[in-house]
Amino acid sequence: MDAMLFWVIAAFLTLGASLAVLLPLSGRKPVGEADGSHEIEVYRDQLSELERDTERGLIKPAEAEQARAEIARRILKADKADSRSGSNALSDSKAMGVFRMAAVLVVPLLSWGIYAFVGSPALPSQPLSARLEKNPADSTVDELVARAEAHLAANPDDARGWDVLAPIYSRMGRYQEAVTAYRNAIRLDGASAARESGVGEAIAAAAGGMITADAQAAFARALELEPGQPKAGFFLASALAQEGKIEEAIAAWQAMMMTLPPDSAWRNAVADAITEGRTRLADVAKEPAPGPTQQDIDAASAMSPEDRAAMIETMVASLDDKLRQNPRDLEGWTRLVKSYQILGRTDAARDALKRGIDVFGKDSAEARQLAQLSNALGVKATE
Amino acid sequence: MTRKQKRLSIIGGALGFLGFAAALTFYALGQKASYFYMPADLASATLEPGQRIRLGGLVEKGSIVRDGGTEVAFSVTDTENSVKVAYTGILPDLFREEQGVITEGSFGADGVFRADSVLAKHDETYMPREVADGLKEKGLWQQETQ
Amino acid sequence: MVEVGHFALVLAFALALVQSIVPLVGARVGDERMMAVAGPVTMAGFALVALAFVVLMISYARSDFSLVNVWENSHSLKPMLYKITGTWGNHEGSMLLWALILTLFGSLVAVFGANLPASLRATVLAVQGWIGTAFLLFILVTSNPFVRLSPAPIEGRDLNPILQDIGLAIHPPLLYLGYVGFSVCFSFAVAALIDGRIDASWARWVRPWTLAAWAFLTGGVAMGSYWAYYELGWGGFWFWDPVENASFMPWLAGTALLHSAIVMEKRSALKIWTLLLAILTFSLSLLGTFLVRSGVLTSVHAFATDPSRGIFILCILVVFIGGSLALFALRSSTLTAGGIFHPISREGALVLNNLFLTTATATVFVGTLYPLAVEALWGEKISVGEPFFNLTFGPVMVPLLLAVPFGPLLAWKRGDAFAAAQRLMTAFAGAFLAVLVTLLFVDRTAVLASLGVGLSAWLVLGALTDLALKAGFGSVPFSTMLRRLVGLPRSMFGTALAHLGLGLTTLGIVGVMAFETENILAMKPGQTAEISGHVLRFDGIQPVQGPNYTESRARFALLGAGGQVAGEIVSSKRFYPVRQMPTTEAGIRTMGLSQLYVSIGDETSDGSLVVRIWWKPLVTLIWGGALAMMLGGVVSLFDRRLRVGAPSRRQRGLPRGTETVTS
């Protein structure tokens, strides 16, 4: 509709512009005036001005007389020039007719031609307020976030708003902002296990997967508020693994397995972690598993953020490549989905998950396992 | 004086004035134009003591020293050579480590450049053009992001 | 509907092309209908560019980041005023403003020029069309503000914080009205060369346009100077920076043009010279645009420069300046000079004025472009700064200023210098008194400065003398004098006001340059500093949150004689997070005609703050005088005698011709 309206307006503008050329060209031939008459008019004006100045005493009579004589001389000169003028017949020639036609046609042809080259007629205007007000279902994630931000800028005390925004920031990879949002919610509405563990998760993600002391403190607070909270427990155990205390980590995970309800989404992740821990224990000497291992991530956390991102990206990309050639690798798919998720590339994670499930067949055990893991991570195969 | 003589004397006067202005301009260009140097150029340059020049380059990292009052000392570098600069007053808003600056002033007897003006333009992507060209010649120029 | 604006811009380009050719051909072959195309096409072109401009402005106001230009230069949190002024706070938008003003002036010529000779009007508008075509093409090819971005980002990159100031709302539009206003004079000059004739009505037409453009340019230059003064925090009002010179050169040349146009109108003399000045003035305006936009010269004021665009403008520059000067060389001999006058006469004085002003323009020109030439020829980098201009521009301007009061007192054709000098005795005595007072009571060593004060007084008193004499002061009763004063033509008031303003500006410059005092020190809260008898106490720093910046506000109390607080000065540093840029907001307190100017630096490690304080005596007169000059121009513009009566219809029926060469 917008585009339609544009073409109508463009057509009207073109019409108007063409008429600005066409109407004078096709009009009645105006009656000519001698140019000299303009000049004489100026001199006449000067004469009357001179009279006024003389009356007011601004000019001495003798000077006025001189000036009058000079203006009179110029009037005579202009009169003479006038009588020398002649007319020109060239204007009615055939070439001129073609020229006039070209002049009229050049307006629509040139403008539409150039516009076709430089314009983007299909793009509607997108004022920010309208983008933020339209139906949320049509909005991009960025727009939704901007809308939430605008709401929170106006009502910074809305704890629920911060609660909603915080995990979204986390998923978009804006970890620092996620931390701030969680902390705002805690400040306004008090601490809860979910908020504290969210803070910990975001801090860890910001550090490239490294569960720092700050993050551990946050998880610890979460466990105080809700003993047995799976996320906090899981990450604290992972922290042990990162510190090299793999046995203790496995013990902690195994303890978790005991307490987790049978339908918990965390069971698979924990089981996975246990398997991985055991593998690491078993073959430290072996070639490291493809994809970003914990050591890699640890090394990465010592790098500058750009280098780190680049390193993780290349490792993830090589894993992705490997899976394309060698798809029947459940562990590989699991790691790929997880990696993309950590990188904040939700779309890629979703895509990897879908590809993984397709490889094994929708109803296979592996596919279910993948799906369960992904649920735990917050990734869904289809939206 | 005849009319012709009068006219000639007027034209002569006008030409004389123009000649005077032109002479003044050339004299001023010779005396008052200040030359632009990068730290590396200074080795080969012969500078008279007190001669005003413009010195350009990057503010060396970690070289900014404030005396707690209004005196500031820093070094201007082209990443190979560097020159110590002393300045009294308020540094421009965008004066930062490893950013381009142009300072104007003259060398003191102690080899320290006494600047009476420090320019760092008010645009975050700015690199003074002379500095940028100088760095390009030395192959040290990297296009900043954005 | 962003694309409507884009399309309107393209359409305006097509119309400009028609405007460039059809009326000109019409004027050459004597076809009235083709000449008649000029008016409607010019006005339609203006309407279309205005539409494009409004669309861009709305896009800025509504933060439509689907435009690259808006995305790069705006931010949704920016206050509305800066969203709107941000439209021309960037290269693309400012060029669109340029084109808008150009087409506006074209339309004004079309509307008010209804009584111009048809062929002259058609040719003038065609020349305007050439300029319009060149600049619209430039915009479409290299600087299109309507380039789109899809998908649109959700937030923009913000406007350079230095530009987030009321100055952006005033300075560029005024400056462009001045720059581009001279395009009308240029078009008239080129039209006269093409037509091979130039007459009294031509001069009558050029003078109001010159006046209008000159008044705007005066305001624009002054406003730019004041803006830099308070925004940069360096306390300077003029840096002899290339960008400043770029606006100053057309002003000097335009001032010369203004004066020579008077001679031409009144006395039909100096025709060819006036023509050349009209061409040169607009050429300098184009050069100014080139210098600012291309970034070929290092400047502290240049924003968003791009050398590739510079080459395009350079081509425009070469074509227009080269073309018009070549045309001048070819055709000026067909124009005849007229009007003989005695060297001691009003005309003679105005010629002297022109000689000085053009020489002054030349010195600024050399100083500005010499570094460029040196670099191109010898590869050496040099900079030419204030010392050069003080040594060259000063000596050229001083005799001019000395001569100014004489000019209006001399009669046309043959004047009496001795009589004029006699009548200026009072002014001279006043100026002498001013020198003595300055020497005795202000500073006994400031000989040059006191002479400067005397020069200013000479100019001011000279302007007042002129008015008093014209009203018949001393020779008629007071009531008659008042009546005559009121009845004086407005252009006389304009002249007096402009010359008076010149004196005031001179006084302000002398005051600041000679008597300014400055103090740099590190202050802790509670400490006081003294400057020229004023005592300031530093009361500490407070953080403040602005709409799109954070601010550290340093408060200073101005203490009176008894130690009581007599006023407050707030000087601050702002930080704009989007651009990661700090700015300085100087604290300024106006006291009478003088100002106390406080600029703050960084906090030192021991908690004190580096503060720079200036006492700037009479500084406001610099811009006050410029405003008086601008006002003089405006008053003169409304002089009833500038209107050209329409030729009476009684004379119709005479065959008209276009090939006429009159003398």
Side-chain angles (χ1 to χ4, degrees), chain A residues 2 5-6 9-10 13-14 17 20-21 24-35 37-46 49 52-53 56-58 63 66 70 73-74 77 81-82 84-88 90-92 96 99-100 103 106-107 110-112 114-115 118-121 123-129 131-132 142-143 146, chain C residues 1-4 6-7 10-11 13-15 17-18 21-22 25 28-34 36-37 40-41 44 48 51 62-66 76 115-119 148 150 152-154 197 199-201 204 265-268 411 413 470 484 487-489 640-641 643-649 651 653-657 660-663:
Chain A
D2 222 20
L5 186 62
F6 163 71
I9 295 176
L13 286 179
T14 317
V21 183
L25 279 182
S26 58
R28 212 164 44 84
K29 194 171 175 167
V31 185
E33 292 161 0
D35 279 1
S37 61
H38 286 270
E39 202 158 339
I40 289 168
E41 193 59 35
V42 175
Y43 294 135
R44 198 161 285 142
D45 215 34
Q46 277 185 343
E49 185 182 297
R52 281 194 299 269
D53 284 359
R56 215 177 280 131
L58 293 174
E63 281 172 20
Q66 256 187 348
E70 181 163 333
R73 267 201 301 281
R74 289 192 212 165
K77 232 178 180 177
D82 225 17
R84 282 187 309 185
S85 44
S87 129
N88 200 313
L90 193 64
S91 67
D92 292 326
M96 280 297 121
F99 178 75
R100 283 195 200 108
V106 79
V107 175
L110 195 64
S111 58
W112 287 67
I114 296 178
Y115 184 76
V118 299
S120 339
L123 269 187
S125 48
Q126 301 172 28
L128 194 60
S129 55
R131 287 168 73 186
L132 297 184
D142 283 346
E143 283 168 1
Chain C
M1 292 302 280
V2 178
E3 288 300 314
V4 170
H6 198 173
F7 184 77
V10 174
L11 200 53
F13 168 69
L15 278 185
L17 207 60
V18 173
I21 299 168
V22 176
V25 173
R28 295 287 84 201
V29 303
D31 182 329
E32 269 89 1
R33 284 179 297 187
M34 270 158 87
V37 167
V41 165
L48 288 169
L51 177 63
R62 300 198 305 180
S63 296
D64 187 341
F65 299 122
S66 68
S76 64
N115 50 12
L116 274 176
S119 79
R148 302 297 295 274
S150 183
I154 204 74
R197 46 187 257 151
D199 50 39
S201 65
R204 280 227 139 174
E265 180 190 350
K266 293 275 186 183
R267 298 277 304 130
S268 284
K413 210 166 181 186
K470 294 239 160 74
R484 271 168 70 170
L488 282 179
R640 120 197 90 76
R641 298 184 299 172
R643 288 187 206 135
V644 182
S648 75
R649 290 284 155 185
Q651 294 179 2
L654 289 171
R656 62 171 307 290
T660 329
V661 178
T662 59
S663 48

Side-chain angles (χ1 to χ4, degrees), chain A residues 231-352:
Chain A
K231 192 195 268 178
F234 179 81
F235 275 100
L236 278 176
S238 305
L240 290 173
Q242 278 181 2
E243 288 159 18
K245 304 170 187 164
I246 298 172
E247 277 125 355
E248 287 170 53
I250 292 174
W253 277 320
Q254 278 169 339
M256 268 185 83
M257 281 303 244
M258 304 297 209
T259 53
L260 278 177
D263 58 339
S264 166
W266 284 92
R267 290 193 82 91
N268 285 303
V270 174
D272 222 45
I274 293 173
T275 327
E276 198 184 310
R278 289 210 173 113
T279 335
R280 272 178 67 189
L281 267 186
D283 43 24
V284 182
K286 257 197 193 171
E287 193 195 349
T293 63
Q294 207 54 59
Q295 288 95 323
D296 289 335
I297 289 175
D298 289 356
S301 64
M303 300 176 178
S304 75
E306 290 85 355
D307 291 347
R308 185 164 64 226
M311 172 187 156
I312 295 176
E313 289 281 4
T314 37
M315 285 189 300
V316 173
S318 72
L319 175 61
D320 200 337
D321 262 353
K322 199 177 149 245
L323 285 172
R324 278 174 205 278
Q325 287 150 22
N326 217 346
R328 293 199 71 86
D329 177 0
L330 177 61
E331 200 211 352
W333 285 113
T334 315
R335 208 167 23 234
L336 185 63
V337 173
K338 231 195 267 182
S339 306
Y340 276 131
Q341 187 61 14
I342 288 172
L343 289 172
R345 292 169 57 186
T346 320
D347 288 345
R350 198 179 297 144
D351 179 48

Side-chain angles (χ1 to χ4, degrees), chain B residues 3-25:
Chain B
R3 192 163 171 160
K4 196 174 172 188
Q5 275 172 325
K6 256 187 206 165
R7 185 179 282 187
L8 276 179
S9 63
I10 290 165
I11 292 174
L15 285 180
F17 174 73
L18 288 178
F20 163 73
L24 199 61
T25 305

Side-chain angles (χ1 to χ4, degrees), chain C residues 231-582:
Chain C
E231 181 69 34
L232 292 185
W234 302 348
F237 59 91
W238 194 260
F239 303 101
W240 291 109
D241 179 274
V243 166
E244 294 168 348
N245 293 346
S247 65
F248 194 44
M249 287 188 279
W251 186 83
L252 287 169
T255 312
L257 174 64
L258 192 64
H259 289 87
S260 80
I262 301 175
V263 180
M264 185 163 152
E265 180 190 350
K266 293 275 186 183
R267 298 277 304 130
S268 284
L270 296 186
K271 282 180 187 174
I272 297 168
W273 171 243
T274 306
L275 218 64
L276 182 63
L277 263 185
I279 291 174
L280 286 181
T281 304
F282 184 61
S283 299
L284 288 170
S285 296
L286 284 179
L287 181 73
T289 310
F290 166 69
L291 287 182
V292 177
R293 288 281 134 237
S294 66
V296 294
L297 290 170
T298 308
S299 159
V300 295
H301 307 296
F303 295 94
T305 58
D306 179 348
S308 66
R309 290 163 176 161
I311 290 170
F312 199 118
I313 302 192
L314 189 64
C315 293
I316 296 181
L317 209 66
V318 168
V319 169
F320 277 90
I321 301 180
S324 56
L325 288 180
L327 191 66
F328 179 81
L330 278 176
R331 304 279 294 188
S332 63
S333 56
T334 62
L335 304 168
T336 47
I340 301 157
F341 53 86
H342 194 267
I344 307 284
S345 62
R346 183 84 66 86
E347 295 96 314
L350 290 168
V351 169
L352 194 69
N353 151 304
N354 272 229
L355 178 68
F356 281 111
L357 279 174
T358 42
T359 312
T361 313
T363 60
V364 178
F365 184 83
V366 170
T368 309
L369 293 185
Y370 182 70
L372 206 60
V374 168
E375 194 183 337
L377 294 177
W378 296 289
E380 258 182 301
K381 292 188 173 68
I382 67 161
S383 78
V384 172
E386 199 186 325
F388 168 84
F389 293 102
N390 285 346
L391 191 59
T392 55
F393 184 75
V396 174
M397 283 308 274
V398 168
L400 173 64
L401 296 182
L402 281 174
V404 163
F406 282 96
L409 291 181
L410 292 172
W412 290 103
K413 210 166 181 186
R414 178 184 289 273
D416 188 342
F418 184 67
Q422 262 184 332
R423 287 191 279 179
L424 281 169
M425 274 317 285
T426 326
F428 185 75
F432 188 66
L433 200 66
V435 175
L436 278 186
V437 167
T438 315
L439 270 184
L440 291 179
F441 296 104
V442 184
D443 186 348
R444 290 184 185 222
T445 56
V447 178
L448 269 180
S450 61
L451 289 178
V453 173
L455 179 62
S456 319
W458 168 243
L459 281 166
V460 171
L461 294 172
L464 294 176
T465 307
D466 175 34
L467 271 189
L469 289 173
K470 294 239 160 74
F473 181 78
S475 60
V476 293
F478 189 69
S479 58
T480 323
M481 192 192 98
L482 272 188
R483 209 175 55 241
R484 271 168 70 170
L485 191 66
V486 173
L488 282 179
R490 295 211 181 118
S491 65
M492 285 186 184
F493 281 110
T495 305
L497 203 53
H499 288 175
L500 185 103
L502 186 63
L504 294 180
T505 299
T506 312
L507 186 59
I509 294 173
V510 170
V512 170
M513 284 180 50
F515 302 114
E516 174 185 279
T517 50
E518 175 188 343
N519 199 353
I520 306 176
L521 69 169
M523 291 176 94
K524 283 191 176 142
Q527 280 187 340
T528 56
E530 204 216 320
I531 186 159
S532 291
H534 303 276
V535 181
L536 275 181
R537 187 183 68 214
F538 176 39
D539 283 349
I541 295 191
Q542 290 171 331
V544 177
Q545 177 69 46
N548 54 345
Y549 56 84
T550 54
E551 186 173 310
S552 305
R553 237 177 235 182
R555 311 182 85 85
F556 297 86
L558 183 65
L559 301 183
Q564 82 284 11
V565 175
E568 189 178 47
I569 298 180
V570 175
S571 181
S572 52
K573 272 203 178 295
R574 286 184 187 166
F575 182 73
Y576 289 77
V578 179
R579 288 235 176 184
Q580 292 287 307
M581 239 183 102

Side-chain angles (χ1 to χ4, degrees), chain A residues 24, chain C residues 19 23 33-43 110 121-123 125-126:
Chain C
Q19 181 193 342
R33 284 179 297 187
M34 270 158 87
M35 287 193 253
V37 167
V41 165
T42 308
M43 286 184 259
R121 177 169 176 260
T123 316
L125 289 177

